[in-house]
Amino acid sequence: MSLEKKVRVRFAPSPTGGLHLGGVRTALFNYLFAKHHDGDFILRIEDTDQTRFVAGAEAYINECLAWCGIAPDESPEKPGAVGPYRQSERKPSYRQYAEQLIQSGHAYYAFDTAEELDEQRKLQPNFRYSHENRMSLRNSLSLDEAEVSKLLAEGHPHTIRIKMPEEGTVSFEDMIRERVVFETKLIDDKVLLKADGMPTYHLAVVVDDKAMEISHVFRGEEWLPSAPVHILLWEYLGWKQEMPQWAHLPLILKPDGNGKLSKRDGDRLGFPVYAMNWTDPTSGDTTVGFREKGFLPEAFVNMLAMLGWNDGTEEEFFTLNQLIEKFSVDRISKAGAKFDFEKAKWFNREWIQRTPNEELVPKIAALLVEKGIQAAVEKINTLLALVKDRMTFIADFWEHASYFFQAPESLDSAAVKPKWTAEKTTFFEKIITVFEAQDEWAASNIETLFKDKIAQSGLKVGELMLPLRIMLVGGKFGPDVFVIAETLGKEQVVQRIKNGLRIIQD
Ligand code: GLU
């Protein structure tokens, strides 16, 4: 891999909808490579296909990158010297290159209408516009010069297509796949400039990578079949010396390894595939994203980095800065990476456990505000210490700590009713009085009082701990019951025991 030029990489999404985790991984690998080499990470919006354009998708992409902490150095929002950064705004710049290719004999005008091509497709299901049939179609290679000039002068709609060589191969060194070879005769004559004057992806990507001085291209493996077309364009346009180095990233596979992970797999198997919630502007349907599912951006980024990369050790836990430091193309695998949601959750759990409480507190405060609760930082801190180790997601805080904010809605009285006795009622009535008289309200005092009283009653500790827990939290869960009692405060504890006694005896 040569690094003579300044490293400049680009993430070039099409604004067509929610951002798939594979897309974010492409952005991340570009970013890591750039930052590892003190280079630039550029965001370019590839919106030349106006039929697939979706309002809001570009803003969504910006927000995803910001959420992941991988901010572009140059983008439509933050233009550098080589803008515009949206292809639609670069429209006037492309035709000259398509015309240049016609002049040099590497491209041609095609006058076939959409209907004519549809007709061909009906006749031949595997129809491809290529060296095999181009001479029987309506283009500047098959028609005579006078007719072509006439059609052009009359302004007949036309596209410009690349003329793929009938013979020969295109080969290149992929940074991940090493030597890759394609036979050009197997590739169709791709449209470069559409009838509306917009370039297709193939022309735009080459012209823009050149204009933006891109040094390395990291993109998904699904673009590998397009690489020979791009390489020929670099060559035909006379830019071969400046061509970027290519790296086609391994696919992210379905959990069972059978094919590429799609949004539908997420819907089917119940996990997110998009980075953040995406609401389709036409249908209004919302697809849940990793962010809203409760992933910390640090965990999401860490998990993505491990889909197809490792640092050569068993280590799996990395901060973004560590990833920048350790990232190396040599350690990107060729094989597809299976997506495992349980593993993704493991990353989030690990990140929650390792994140200092003061960073989690604001996130939990926000969760509580959603529930209509304003909680003091001190209280959240105390509760976090009790339930953090049970949390995989921030939202789990509520499941494990809601009873500290509101009395349980229902009690699992069935767990204690069958063995309930009058002695137990008497015991709890007495303990209420004992607690009410107690000033020092710490777990250890509460425990001593509770156990002393049991000793006097002739009952067993084991018989009374569970009822106490159920009265305080509603069920058989939670941390140490005396710590819960301390945290709830005396008044709440007394009130909940009174309430519990009523329900159990009902
Ligand atoms: N616009 C393409 C996409 O949506 C970019 C492919 C490339 O990086 O060349 O993924």
Side-chain angles (χ1 to χ4, degrees), residues 179-211:
R179 190 151 199 79
V180 190
V181 184
F182 290 90
E183 282 191 76
T184 56
K185 69 165 184 255
L186 302 176
I187 304 168
D188 53 327
D189 291 350
K190 302 265 184 249
V191 173
L192 300 177
L193 202 75
K194 293 182 268 191
D196 64 1
M198 268 290 188
T200 59
Y201 158 69
H202 299 294
L203 179 63
V205 79
V206 171
V207 169
D208 290 353
D209 284 348
K210 161 79 165 66

PDB file of all heavy atoms in Angstrom, residues 179-211:
ATOM      1  N   ARG A 179      -5.027  -9.600  -5.733  1.00  0.00           N
ATOM      2  CA  ARG A 179      -5.241  -9.410  -7.164  1.00  0.00           C
ATOM      3  C   ARG A 179      -6.655  -9.839  -7.587  1.00  0.00           C
ATOM      4  O   ARG A 179      -7.100 -10.936  -7.287  1.00  0.00           O
ATOM      5  CB  ARG A 179      -4.207 -10.229  -7.939  1.00  0.00           C
ATOM      6  CG  ARG A 179      -4.194  -9.901  -9.401  1.00  0.00           C
ATOM      7  CD  ARG A 179      -2.831 -10.105 -10.044  1.00  0.00           C
ATOM      8  NE  ARG A 179      -2.747  -9.372 -11.293  1.00  0.00           N
ATOM      9  CZ  ARG A 179      -2.514  -8.070 -11.370  1.00  0.00           C
ATOM     10  NH1 ARG A 179      -2.325  -7.370 -10.272  1.00  0.00           N
ATOM     11  NH2 ARG A 179      -2.457  -7.467 -12.537  1.00  0.00           N
ATOM     12  N   VAL A 180      -7.340  -8.926  -8.288  1.00  0.00           N
ATOM     13  CA  VAL A 180      -8.680  -9.233  -8.775  1.00  0.00           C
ATOM     14  C   VAL A 180      -8.673  -9.028 -10.287  1.00  0.00           C
ATOM     15  O   VAL A 180      -8.129  -8.044 -10.782  1.00  0.00           O
ATOM     16  CB  VAL A 180      -9.733  -8.283  -8.140  1.00  0.00           C
ATOM     17  CG1 VAL A 180     -11.141  -8.767  -8.451  1.00  0.00           C
ATOM     18  CG2 VAL A 180      -9.546  -8.168  -6.636  1.00  0.00           C
ATOM     19  N   VAL A 181      -9.249 -10.001 -11.019  1.00  0.00           N
ATOM     20  CA  VAL A 181      -9.232  -9.936 -12.489  1.00  0.00           C
ATOM     21  C   VAL A 181     -10.651 -10.077 -13.026  1.00  0.00           C
ATOM     22  O   VAL A 181     -11.413 -10.930 -12.557  1.00  0.00           O
ATOM     23  CB  VAL A 181      -8.356 -11.080 -13.064  1.00  0.00           C
ATOM     24  CG1 VAL A 181      -8.244 -10.952 -14.589  1.00  0.00           C
ATOM     25  CG2 VAL A 181      -6.979 -11.087 -12.424  1.00  0.00           C
ATOM     26  N   PHE A 182     -10.994  -9.248 -13.993  1.00  0.00           N
ATOM     27  CA  PHE A 182     -12.306  -9.329 -14.638  1.00  0.00           C
ATOM     28  C   PHE A 182     -12.129  -9.426 -16.151  1.00  0.00           C
ATOM     29  O   PHE A 182     -11.280  -8.741 -16.720  1.00  0.00           O
ATOM     30  CB  PHE A 182     -13.126  -8.051 -14.367  1.00  0.00           C
ATOM     31  CG  PHE A 182     -13.577  -7.920 -12.951  1.00  0.00           C
ATOM     32  CD1 PHE A 182     -12.777  -7.268 -12.018  1.00  0.00           C
ATOM     33  CD2 PHE A 182     -14.802  -8.435 -12.550  1.00  0.00           C
ATOM     34  CE1 PHE A 182     -13.192  -7.132 -10.710  1.00  0.00           C
ATOM     35  CE2 PHE A 182     -15.219  -8.308 -11.242  1.00  0.00           C
ATOM     36  CZ  PHE A 182     -14.416  -7.654 -10.310  1.00  0.00           C
ATOM     37  N   GLU A 183     -12.979 -10.214 -16.774  1.00  0.00           N
ATOM     38  CA  GLU A 183     -13.002 -10.258 -18.242  1.00  0.00           C
ATOM     39  C   GLU A 183     -13.984  -9.202 -18.718  1.00  0.00           C
ATOM     40  O   GLU A 183     -15.160  -9.226 -18.331  1.00  0.00           O
ATOM     41  CB  GLU A 183     -13.499 -11.626 -18.704  1.00  0.00           C
ATOM     42  CG  GLU A 183     -12.446 -12.697 -18.620  1.00  0.00           C
ATOM     43  CD  GLU A 183     -12.927 -13.940 -19.334  1.00  0.00           C
ATOM     44  OE1 GLU A 183     -12.907 -13.959 -20.579  1.00  0.00           O
ATOM     45  OE2 GLU A 183     -13.337 -14.868 -18.619  1.00  0.00           O
ATOM     46  N   THR A 184     -13.527  -8.295 -19.555  1.00  0.00           N
ATOM     47  CA  THR A 184     -14.391  -7.173 -19.942  1.00  0.00           C
ATOM     48  C   THR A 184     -15.575  -7.620 -20.802  1.00  0.00           C
ATOM     49  O   THR A 184     -16.614  -6.980 -20.793  1.00  0.00           O
ATOM     50  CB  THR A 184     -13.589  -6.096 -20.693  1.00  0.00           C
ATOM     51  OG1 THR A 184     -12.950  -6.717 -21.802  1.00  0.00           O
ATOM     52  CG2 THR A 184     -12.562  -5.449 -19.797  1.00  0.00           C
ATOM     53  N   LYS A 185     -15.428  -8.717 -21.514  1.00  0.00           N
ATOM     54  CA  LYS A 185     -16.534  -9.130 -22.395  1.00  0.00           C
ATOM     55  C   LYS A 185     -17.792  -9.529 -21.599  1.00  0.00           C
ATOM     56  O   LYS A 185     -18.878  -9.591 -22.150  1.00  0.00           O
ATOM     57  CB  LYS A 185     -16.086 -10.261 -23.327  1.00  0.00           C
ATOM     58  CG  LYS A 185     -15.813 -11.579 -22.659  1.00  0.00           C
ATOM     59  CD  LYS A 185     -15.754 -12.686 -23.723  1.00  0.00           C
ATOM     60  CE  LYS A 185     -15.578 -14.039 -23.103  1.00  0.00           C
ATOM     61  NZ  LYS A 185     -14.242 -14.590 -23.242  1.00  0.00           N
ATOM     62  N   LEU A 186     -17.600  -9.789 -20.329  1.00  0.00           N
ATOM     63  CA  LEU A 186     -18.746 -10.194 -19.506  1.00  0.00           C
ATOM     64  C   LEU A 186     -19.499  -8.998 -18.920  1.00  0.00           C
ATOM     65  O   LEU A 186     -20.501  -9.140 -18.237  1.00  0.00           O
ATOM     66  CB  LEU A 186     -18.284 -11.099 -18.354  1.00  0.00           C
ATOM     67  CG  LEU A 186     -17.558 -12.380 -18.769  1.00  0.00           C
ATOM     68  CD1 LEU A 186     -17.052 -13.147 -17.559  1.00  0.00           C
ATOM     69  CD2 LEU A 186     -18.514 -13.255 -19.598  1.00  0.00           C
ATOM     70  N   ILE A 187     -18.963  -7.810 -19.186  1.00  0.00           N
ATOM     71  CA  ILE A 187     -19.565  -6.621 -18.566  1.00  0.00           C
ATOM     72  C   ILE A 187     -20.319  -5.821 -19.617  1.00  0.00           C
ATOM     73  O   ILE A 187     -19.847  -5.648 -20.742  1.00  0.00           O
ATOM     74  CB  ILE A 187     -18.464  -5.761 -17.902  1.00  0.00           C
ATOM     75  CG1 ILE A 187     -17.691  -6.629 -16.891  1.00  0.00           C
ATOM     76  CG2 ILE A 187     -19.066  -4.534 -17.220  1.00  0.00           C
ATOM     77  CD1 ILE A 187     -16.425  -5.999 -16.382  1.00  0.00           C
ATOM     78  N   ASP A 188     -21.511  -5.347 -19.250  1.00  0.00           N
ATOM     79  CA  ASP A 188     -22.329  -4.620 -20.226  1.00  0.00           C
ATOM     80  C   ASP A 188     -21.843  -3.174 -20.384  1.00  0.00           C
ATOM     81  O   ASP A 188     -21.018  -2.688 -19.596  1.00  0.00           O
ATOM     82  CB  ASP A 188     -23.819  -4.674 -19.849  1.00  0.00           C
ATOM     83  CG  ASP A 188     -24.075  -4.216 -18.441  1.00  0.00           C
ATOM     84  OD1 ASP A 188     -23.220  -4.442 -17.572  1.00  0.00           O
ATOM     85  OD2 ASP A 188     -25.129  -3.600 -18.191  1.00  0.00           O
ATOM     86  N   ASP A 189     -22.375  -2.540 -21.427  1.00  0.00           N
ATOM     87  CA  ASP A 189     -22.007  -1.148 -21.724  1.00  0.00           C
ATOM     88  C   ASP A 189     -22.829  -0.234 -20.806  1.00  0.00           C
ATOM     89  O   ASP A 189     -23.917   0.228 -21.172  1.00  0.00           O
ATOM     90  CB  ASP A 189     -22.315  -0.827 -23.198  1.00  0.00           C
ATOM     91  CG  ASP A 189     -21.387  -1.557 -24.155  1.00  0.00           C
ATOM     92  OD1 ASP A 189     -20.399  -2.160 -23.691  1.00  0.00           O
ATOM     93  OD2 ASP A 189     -21.667  -1.524 -25.369  1.00  0.00           O
ATOM     94  N   LYS A 190     -22.317   0.025 -19.646  1.00  0.00           N
ATOM     95  CA  LYS A 190     -23.073   0.798 -18.649  1.00  0.00           C
ATOM     96  C   LYS A 190     -23.358   2.212 -19.149  1.00  0.00           C
ATOM     97  O   LYS A 190     -22.517   2.830 -19.813  1.00  0.00           O
ATOM     98  CB  LYS A 190     -22.263   0.924 -17.354  1.00  0.00           C
ATOM     99  CG  LYS A 190     -21.871  -0.386 -16.735  1.00  0.00           C
ATOM    100  CD  LYS A 190     -22.851  -0.799 -15.674  1.00  0.00           C
ATOM    101  CE  LYS A 190     -22.436  -2.057 -14.961  1.00  0.00           C
ATOM    102  NZ  LYS A 190     -23.309  -3.198 -15.259  1.00  0.00           N
ATOM    103  N   VAL A 191     -24.525   2.715 -18.769  1.00  0.00           N
ATOM    104  CA  VAL A 191     -24.854   4.109 -19.068  1.00  0.00           C
ATOM    105  C   VAL A 191     -23.955   4.988 -18.192  1.00  0.00           C
ATOM    106  O   VAL A 191     -23.756   4.704 -17.007  1.00  0.00           O
ATOM    107  CB  VAL A 191     -26.350   4.400 -18.752  1.00  0.00           C
ATOM    108  CG1 VAL A 191     -26.648   5.889 -18.890  1.00  0.00           C
ATOM    109  CG2 VAL A 191     -27.248   3.584 -19.658  1.00  0.00           C
ATOM    110  N   LEU A 192     -23.389   6.016 -18.792  1.00  0.00           N
ATOM    111  CA  LEU A 192     -22.551   6.961 -18.038  1.00  0.00           C
ATOM    112  C   LEU A 192     -23.295   8.267 -17.796  1.00  0.00           C
ATOM    113  O   LEU A 192     -23.207   8.864 -16.730  1.00  0.00           O
ATOM    114  CB  LEU A 192     -21.255   7.249 -18.807  1.00  0.00           C
ATOM    115  CG  LEU A 192     -20.367   6.035 -19.097  1.00  0.00           C
ATOM    116  CD1 LEU A 192     -19.159   6.460 -19.922  1.00  0.00           C
ATOM    117  CD2 LEU A 192     -19.914   5.370 -17.795  1.00  0.00           C
ATOM    118  N   LEU A 193     -24.007   8.697 -18.854  1.00  0.00           N
ATOM    119  CA  LEU A 193     -24.781   9.944 -18.727  1.00  0.00           C
ATOM    120  C   LEU A 193     -26.213   9.621 -19.140  1.00  0.00           C
ATOM    121  O   LEU A 193     -26.438   9.027 -20.194  1.00  0.00           O
ATOM    122  CB  LEU A 193     -24.195  11.013 -19.651  1.00  0.00           C
ATOM    123  CG  LEU A 193     -24.541  12.439 -19.263  1.00  0.00           C
ATOM    124  CD1 LEU A 193     -23.728  12.888 -18.046  1.00  0.00           C
ATOM    125  CD2 LEU A 193     -24.269  13.402 -20.422  1.00  0.00           C
ATOM    126  N   LYS A 194     -27.155  10.010 -18.278  1.00  0.00           N
ATOM    127  CA  LYS A 194     -28.551   9.665 -18.550  1.00  0.00           C
ATOM    128  C   LYS A 194     -29.185  10.699 -19.477  1.00  0.00           C
ATOM    129  O   LYS A 194     -28.617  11.780 -19.704  1.00  0.00           O
ATOM    130  CB  LYS A 194     -29.323   9.599 -17.234  1.00  0.00           C
ATOM    131  CG  LYS A 194     -28.859   8.448 -16.363  1.00  0.00           C
ATOM    132  CD  LYS A 194     -29.644   8.353 -15.088  1.00  0.00           C
ATOM    133  CE  LYS A 194     -28.976   9.116 -13.981  1.00  0.00           C
ATOM    134  NZ  LYS A 194     -29.534   8.859 -12.652  1.00  0.00           N
ATOM    135  N   ALA A 195     -30.368  10.377 -19.977  1.00  0.00           N
ATOM    136  CA  ALA A 195     -31.042  11.265 -20.926  1.00  0.00           C
ATOM    137  C   ALA A 195     -31.331  12.634 -20.290  1.00  0.00           C
ATOM    138  O   ALA A 195     -31.354  13.651 -20.989  1.00  0.00           O
ATOM    139  CB  ALA A 195     -32.330  10.621 -21.413  1.00  0.00           C
ATOM    140  N   ASP A 196     -31.489  12.672 -18.973  1.00  0.00           N
ATOM    141  CA  ASP A 196     -31.770  13.967 -18.318  1.00  0.00           C
ATOM    142  C   ASP A 196     -30.483  14.759 -18.054  1.00  0.00           C
ATOM    143  O   ASP A 196     -30.510  15.810 -17.417  1.00  0.00           O
ATOM    144  CB  ASP A 196     -32.555  13.743 -17.019  1.00  0.00           C
ATOM    145  CG  ASP A 196     -31.762  12.951 -15.975  1.00  0.00           C
ATOM    146  OD1 ASP A 196     -30.590  12.587 -16.231  1.00  0.00           O
ATOM    147  OD2 ASP A 196     -32.324  12.689 -14.888  1.00  0.00           O
ATOM    148  N   GLY A 197     -29.356  14.246 -18.529  1.00  0.00           N
ATOM    149  CA  GLY A 197     -28.092  14.972 -18.366  1.00  0.00           C
ATOM    150  C   GLY A 197     -27.385  14.663 -17.061  1.00  0.00           C
ATOM    151  O   GLY A 197     -26.259  15.111 -16.826  1.00  0.00           O
ATOM    152  N   MET A 198     -28.054  13.883 -16.223  1.00  0.00           N
ATOM    153  CA  MET A 198     -27.414  13.502 -14.963  1.00  0.00           C
ATOM    154  C   MET A 198     -26.438  12.365 -15.237  1.00  0.00           C
ATOM    155  O   MET A 198     -26.725  11.479 -16.051  1.00  0.00           O
ATOM    156  CB  MET A 198     -28.470  12.969 -13.978  1.00  0.00           C
ATOM    157  CG  MET A 198     -29.056  14.004 -13.075  1.00  0.00           C
ATOM    158  SD  MET A 198     -27.850  14.580 -11.869  1.00  0.00           S
ATOM    159  CE  MET A 198     -28.930  15.570 -10.865  1.00  0.00           C
ATOM    160  N   PRO A 199     -25.315  12.363 -14.550  1.00  0.00           N
ATOM    161  CA  PRO A 199     -24.411  11.222 -14.711  1.00  0.00           C
ATOM    162  C   PRO A 199     -25.005  10.033 -13.961  1.00  0.00           C
ATOM    163  O   PRO A 199     -25.811  10.222 -13.051  1.00  0.00           O
ATOM    164  CB  PRO A 199     -23.152  11.692 -13.991  1.00  0.00           C
ATOM    165  CG  PRO A 199     -23.676  12.572 -12.897  1.00  0.00           C
ATOM    166  CD  PRO A 199     -24.871  13.277 -13.491  1.00  0.00           C
ATOM    167  N   THR A 200     -24.595   8.832 -14.328  1.00  0.00           N
ATOM    168  CA  THR A 200     -24.930   7.685 -13.468  1.00  0.00           C
ATOM    169  C   THR A 200     -23.853   7.637 -12.396  1.00  0.00           C
ATOM    170  O   THR A 200     -22.825   8.330 -12.464  1.00  0.00           O
ATOM    171  CB  THR A 200     -24.904   6.360 -14.247  1.00  0.00           C
ATOM    172  OG1 THR A 200     -23.589   6.213 -14.788  1.00  0.00           O
ATOM    173  CG2 THR A 200     -25.953   6.338 -15.340  1.00  0.00           C
ATOM    174  N   TYR A 201     -24.086   6.748 -11.470  1.00  0.00           N
ATOM    175  CA  TYR A 201     -23.117   6.528 -10.403  1.00  0.00           C
ATOM    176  C   TYR A 201     -21.716   6.271 -10.966  1.00  0.00           C
ATOM    177  O   TYR A 201     -20.723   6.818 -10.479  1.00  0.00           O
ATOM    178  CB  TYR A 201     -23.613   5.355  -9.549  1.00  0.00           C
ATOM    179  CG  TYR A 201     -22.536   4.663  -8.766  1.00  0.00           C
ATOM    180  CD1 TYR A 201     -21.906   5.310  -7.708  1.00  0.00           C
ATOM    181  CD2 TYR A 201     -22.126   3.369  -9.085  1.00  0.00           C
ATOM    182  CE1 TYR A 201     -20.897   4.691  -6.990  1.00  0.00           C
ATOM    183  CE2 TYR A 201     -21.125   2.737  -8.379  1.00  0.00           C
ATOM    184  CZ  TYR A 201     -20.510   3.401  -7.337  1.00  0.00           C
ATOM    185  OH  TYR A 201     -19.509   2.785  -6.643  1.00  0.00           O
ATOM    186  N   HIS A 202     -21.632   5.438 -12.017  1.00  0.00           N
ATOM    187  CA  HIS A 202     -20.319   5.030 -12.521  1.00  0.00           C
ATOM    188  C   HIS A 202     -19.464   6.214 -12.986  1.00  0.00           C
ATOM    189  O   HIS A 202     -18.280   6.280 -12.689  1.00  0.00           O
ATOM    190  CB  HIS A 202     -20.477   4.031 -13.679  1.00  0.00           C
ATOM    191  CG  HIS A 202     -21.183   2.787 -13.265  1.00  0.00           C
ATOM    192  ND1 HIS A 202     -20.659   1.900 -12.369  1.00  0.00           N
ATOM    193  CD2 HIS A 202     -22.413   2.303 -13.608  1.00  0.00           C
ATOM    194  CE1 HIS A 202     -21.509   0.909 -12.169  1.00  0.00           C
ATOM    195  NE2 HIS A 202     -22.581   1.134 -12.907  1.00  0.00           N
ATOM    196  N   LEU A 203     -20.095   7.120 -13.716  1.00  0.00           N
ATOM    197  CA  LEU A 203     -19.310   8.272 -14.185  1.00  0.00           C
ATOM    198  C   LEU A 203     -19.032   9.225 -13.018  1.00  0.00           C
ATOM    199  O   LEU A 203     -17.906   9.681 -12.820  1.00  0.00           O
ATOM    200  CB  LEU A 203     -20.070   9.016 -15.305  1.00  0.00           C
ATOM    201  CG  LEU A 203     -19.340  10.248 -15.854  1.00  0.00           C
ATOM    202  CD1 LEU A 203     -18.016   9.855 -16.518  1.00  0.00           C
ATOM    203  CD2 LEU A 203     -20.223  11.006 -16.856  1.00  0.00           C
ATOM    204  N   ALA A 204     -20.084   9.480 -12.248  1.00  0.00           N
ATOM    205  CA  ALA A 204     -19.946  10.470 -11.179  1.00  0.00           C
ATOM    206  C   ALA A 204     -18.892  10.039 -10.154  1.00  0.00           C
ATOM    207  O   ALA A 204     -18.103  10.859  -9.685  1.00  0.00           O
ATOM    208  CB  ALA A 204     -21.295  10.679 -10.503  1.00  0.00           C
ATOM    209  N   VAL A 205     -18.867   8.756  -9.842  1.00  0.00           N
ATOM    210  CA  VAL A 205     -17.961   8.307  -8.786  1.00  0.00           C
ATOM    211  C   VAL A 205     -16.505   8.521  -9.211  1.00  0.00           C
ATOM    212  O   VAL A 205     -15.660   8.924  -8.402  1.00  0.00           O
ATOM    213  CB  VAL A 205     -18.267   6.831  -8.391  1.00  0.00           C
ATOM    214  CG1 VAL A 205     -17.688   5.841  -9.379  1.00  0.00           C
ATOM    215  CG2 VAL A 205     -17.772   6.514  -7.005  1.00  0.00           C
ATOM    216  N   VAL A 206     -16.238   8.297 -10.496  1.00  0.00           N
ATOM    217  CA  VAL A 206     -14.861   8.447 -10.966  1.00  0.00           C
ATOM    218  C   VAL A 206     -14.490   9.932 -11.060  1.00  0.00           C
ATOM    219  O   VAL A 206     -13.443  10.362 -10.555  1.00  0.00           O
ATOM    220  CB  VAL A 206     -14.676   7.729 -12.327  1.00  0.00           C
ATOM    221  CG1 VAL A 206     -13.329   8.054 -12.938  1.00  0.00           C
ATOM    222  CG2 VAL A 206     -14.835   6.219 -12.139  1.00  0.00           C
ATOM    223  N   VAL A 207     -15.378  10.708 -11.671  1.00  0.00           N
ATOM    224  CA  VAL A 207     -15.081  12.140 -11.825  1.00  0.00           C
ATOM    225  C   VAL A 207     -14.905  12.790 -10.440  1.00  0.00           C
ATOM    226  O   VAL A 207     -13.980  13.576 -10.216  1.00  0.00           O
ATOM    227  CB  VAL A 207     -16.222  12.837 -12.620  1.00  0.00           C
ATOM    228  CG1 VAL A 207     -16.084  14.350 -12.574  1.00  0.00           C
ATOM    229  CG2 VAL A 207     -16.224  12.328 -14.061  1.00  0.00           C
ATOM    230  N   ASP A 208     -15.765  12.412  -9.513  1.00  0.00           N
ATOM    231  CA  ASP A 208     -15.690  13.042  -8.192  1.00  0.00           C
ATOM    232  C   ASP A 208     -14.507  12.555  -7.364  1.00  0.00           C
ATOM    233  O   ASP A 208     -13.887  13.332  -6.635  1.00  0.00           O
ATOM    234  CB  ASP A 208     -16.993  12.803  -7.419  1.00  0.00           C
ATOM    235  CG  ASP A 208     -18.132  13.597  -8.023  1.00  0.00           C
ATOM    236  OD1 ASP A 208     -17.864  14.404  -8.927  1.00  0.00           O
ATOM    237  OD2 ASP A 208     -19.281  13.415  -7.591  1.00  0.00           O
ATOM    238  N   ASP A 209     -14.205  11.266  -7.468  1.00  0.00           N
ATOM    239  CA  ASP A 209     -13.034  10.787  -6.715  1.00  0.00           C
ATOM    240  C   ASP A 209     -11.776  11.489  -7.218  1.00  0.00           C
ATOM    241  O   ASP A 209     -10.878  11.809  -6.445  1.00  0.00           O
ATOM    242  CB  ASP A 209     -12.895   9.255  -6.820  1.00  0.00           C
ATOM    243  CG  ASP A 209     -13.899   8.523  -5.926  1.00  0.00           C
ATOM    244  OD1 ASP A 209     -14.519   9.184  -5.074  1.00  0.00           O
ATOM    245  OD2 ASP A 209     -14.066   7.294  -6.084  1.00  0.00           O
ATOM    246  N   LYS A 210     -11.745  11.758  -8.516  1.00  0.00           N
ATOM    247  CA  LYS A 210     -10.596  12.488  -9.074  1.00  0.00           C
ATOM    248  C   LYS A 210     -10.609  13.929  -8.558  1.00  0.00           C
ATOM    249  O   LYS A 210      -9.604  14.426  -8.038  1.00  0.00           O
ATOM    250  CB  LYS A 210     -10.679  12.438 -10.614  1.00  0.00           C
ATOM    251  CG  LYS A 210      -9.867  13.477 -11.358  1.00  0.00           C
ATOM    252  CD  LYS A 210      -8.391  13.086 -11.415  1.00  0.00           C
ATOM    253  CE  LYS A 210      -7.604  13.885 -12.428  1.00  0.00           C
ATOM    254  NZ  LYS A 210      -7.471  15.303 -12.137  1.00  0.00           N
ATOM    255  N   ALA A 211     -11.775  14.592  -8.724  1.00  0.00           N
ATOM    256  CA  ALA A 211     -11.857  16.013  -8.343  1.00  0.00           C
ATOM    257  C   ALA A 211     -11.582  16.212  -6.857  1.00  0.00           C
ATOM    258  O   ALA A 211     -11.040  17.228  -6.445  1.00  0.00           O
ATOM    259  CB  ALA A 211     -13.232  16.561  -8.708  1.00  0.00           C
TER     260      ALA A 211
END
